[in-house]
Amino acid sequence: MKNFFRIISFLEGSSFVLLLFIAVPLKYWFGVDSFVKFLGMPHGIFFLSYILFALVLAIEEKWKLKTLSYILVASVIPFATFYVDKKFLRKSSS
């Protein structure tokens, strides 16, 4: 389960960074909104999956509320899901 969450975490973080730093600037600076349309829905699905699997994994792994809070907040901060992977998920991945 943890390895699957790591994959979801990577996809959510990658889609967020692409959306925020490539698609949105292209939309507002150059009027090209096709990248936002292309990345928006997958990012939304990855975001919701990230939240859901974080909650499931928190119960399974018996995370403290503080740890779960860090992991949930990371979903709305660019690049933070990569930090979560390194700090909380990779060290005891099984």
Side-chain angles (χ1 to χ4, degrees):
M1 178 69 133
K2 189 180 282 190
N3 285 331
F4 185 71
F5 182 65
R6 288 185 66 202
I7 293 168
I8 293 294
S9 176
F10 175 78
L11 293 172
E12 194 279 333
S14 299
S15 68
F16 187 41
V17 168
L18 289 172
L19 193 61
L20 195 61
F21 294 110
I22 295 175
V24 171
L26 283 174
K27 177 180 179 177
Y28 288 105
W29 294 342
F30 302 107
V32 179
D33 64 347
S34 58
F35 291 105
V36 172
K37 290 179 182 178
F38 180 73
L39 290 171
M41 178 66 78
H43 170 67
I45 292 168
F46 294 141
F47 175 77
L48 292 174
S49 298
Y50 179 91
I51 299 299
L52 177 68
F53 283 102
L55 295 172
V56 170
L57 199 58
I59 294 167
E60 187 178 288
E61 296 284 325
K62 295 180 177 50
W63 286 340
K64 295 179 182 176
L65 184 59
K66 185 176 180 180
T67 301
L68 177 61
S69 299
Y70 284 141
I71 290 170
L72 292 177
V73 168
S75 68
V76 295
I77 300 172
F79 302 103
T81 57
F82 306 119
Y83 174 77
V84 163
D85 181 56
K86 183 176 182 180
K87 175 92 173 160
F88 298 104
L89 303 175
R90 192 181 305 168
K91 65 182 174 185
S92 64
S93 184
S94 52

